[in-house]
Amino acid sequence: MKSSTVWLALAFALACSSAQAADNVRVARDFTDMVAPTDQQAYEAGTKHFNQCLHQHGFKYNWTAWTHETGDTYSYSYVSDPMPWATFDAMDTAVKACLGVIHSDVNPHLKSEISAFMQAMPELSHQPKDMGPPPPLIEVRYFTLKPGHQAVETFMAAVKKIAAAAAKSNWPHYFQFARMIDAGDGAPDFILVIPDKNWADVGTEPDPDVWKMVENVYGKSDAAAIRQSINDAVAKQSSHVDSYNAELSYIASGK
């Protein structure tokens, strides 16, 4: 967890769910498209055509687009606003009018596509009170945990302590965690999103860094124990940087 600006919402406005009762869970849906380099221009044109169709039919659900800047650089992610599960039924009905555009103008240019749901975890996150527009860049980090419920409980307990320390110390560097749901075989268990205003921000470590901040709150021994518990629970990590793509994002009229 490192530097950030004043915006964080799972890169995808997940921060709206600041309190989640069992009957009031909010989830966002993500589609990540992999495109061949030679099809990139046609794919983007097809996506814009799809967005035009959505506007013409009064589609009322926002989708924020992100272009992958590192990792698989010919990938695009589209993330919905956080919504109750039942709202996705209404969305599926509303999008049917434009599925033909997807089939004719977008799908022919795809190498592959993956989709998942993400449930925001406010208790594991440290976010500002006032949310601004999407940042120019976001760092996306995936955590795959070791098998078994114990690893999940250990990881969540440790990250919760980090978030509490950040809040207590008014640490001015924000981050948001979400839990991956129904993401398919080999998918990570948790996703961490950190906003950045530019590449210099990506490359700048916070002062104090996250572990020094935790140490300042809990003491050196407890901070070391928290760090070790995360290391013990995590089997694999990966990360990439995305940039906000306003041209491919869909913002419903009147929003």
Side-chain angles (χ1 to χ4, degrees), residues 61-123:
Y61 307 99
N62 295 334
W63 286 85
T64 304
W66 302 89
T67 301
H68 292 218
E69 296 289 344
T70 65
D72 188 338
T73 56
Y74 292 95
S75 294
Y76 303 79
S77 291
Y78 304 86
V79 187
S80 74
D81 283 352
M83 298 177 291
W85 283 102
T87 304
F88 290 98
D89 293 316
M91 181 188 291
D92 284 350
T93 298
V95 80
K96 286 181 179 179
C98 296
L99 288 181
V101 179
I102 288 286
H103 296 155
S104 64
D105 291 15
V106 178
N107 286 353
H109 309 295
L110 289 178
K111 291 171 59 179
S112 62
E113 181 179 73
I114 58 176
S115 181
F117 287 97
M118 299 175 291
Q119 180 178 340
M121 307 293 290
E123 67 276 20

Side-chain angles (χ1 to χ4, degrees), residues 158-210:
V159 175
K160 186 175 182 179
K161 290 179 180 178
I162 295 173
K168 184 175 182 179
S169 62
N170 294 314
W171 199 50
H173 307 285
Y174 301 107
F175 57 88
Q176 175 130 16
F177 271 93
R179 191 167 186 176
M180 306 297 288
I181 302 173
D182 295 332
D185 184 41
D189 297 292
F190 290 88
I191 180 174
L192 165 67
V193 175
I194 304 168
D196 293 294
K197 58 181 180 289
N198 50 40
W199 287 108
D201 205 21
V202 172
T204 302
E205 289 295 330
D207 184 16
D209 66 30
V210 62

Side-chain angles (χ1 to χ4, degrees), residues 126-156:
H126 177 55
Q127 51 202 34
K129 294 180 180 180
D130 297 322
M131 310 304 291
L137 298 171
I138 55 171
E139 295 175 72
V140 181
R141 302 185 185 181
Y142 298 117
F143 295 85
T144 301
L145 306 186
K146 295 176 181 178
H149 70 89
Q150 185 62 47
V152 174
E153 293 176 359
T154 297
F155 181 83
M156 291 181 62

